[in-house]
Amino acid sequence: MKELPIRRVKRWRYSIHELLRDPAGREEFQRWLEKEFSAENLRFWDACQRLKSLPLREVGKTVTQIYDEYLSSSATDPVNVDCRVAEIVR
């Protein structure tokens, strides 16, 4: 990572939203998640965030895609969720 102004980096500690809003913060967080073998969590969060801006006609299809990719028992990029949550979602 190239040297960033300390004030910019300090903003990241205020909230996860500050971190994710900053391209350098997001990149560093993604790198850390990959080391922790949990990068799928940020991809899942991003997919859910994109739902907010979709036209209503696209929401159902997109929710199904998110479910198939992250939550189903045969998910291609599964996130780790509590078994009770997984059962409710199914």
Side-chain angles (χ1 to χ4, degrees), residues 76-88:
T76 56
D77 201 10
V79 291
N80 187 10
V81 295
D82 179 89
C83 64
R84 290 175 297 156
V85 172
E87 189 58 37
I88 291 168

Side-chain angles (χ1 to χ4, degrees), residues 65 67-78:
Q65 290 170 337
Y67 174 79
D68 291 343
E69 187 169 349
Y70 300 103
L71 298 168
S72 77
S73 57
S74 60
T76 56
D77 201 10

Side-chain angles (χ1 to χ4, degrees), residues 12-77:
W12 301 348
R13 68 181 170 192
Y14 294 122
S15 74
I16 188 75
H17 297 289
E18 287 290 332
L19 174 73
L20 296 175
R21 204 180 345 249
D22 185 315
R26 178 181 277 276
E27 185 178 319
E28 285 301 311
F29 186 51
Q30 181 69 30
R31 235 180 271 156
W32 180 81
L33 287 171
E34 288 169 5
K35 289 179 193 172
E36 295 295 315
F37 302 101
S38 58
E40 68 281 355
N41 293 308
L42 185 55
R43 290 190 295 270
F44 173 66
W45 184 83
D46 280 337
C48 292
Q49 293 302 305
R50 283 192 300 274
L51 279 173
K52 294 178 181 179
S53 62
L54 288 178
L56 193 54
R57 68 182 179 280
E58 294 178 27
V59 170
K61 179 179 118 183
T62 304
V63 166
T64 300
Q65 290 170 337
I66 291 170
Y67 174 79
D68 291 343
E69 187 169 349
Y70 300 103
L71 298 168
S72 77
S73 57
S74 60
T76 56
D77 201 10

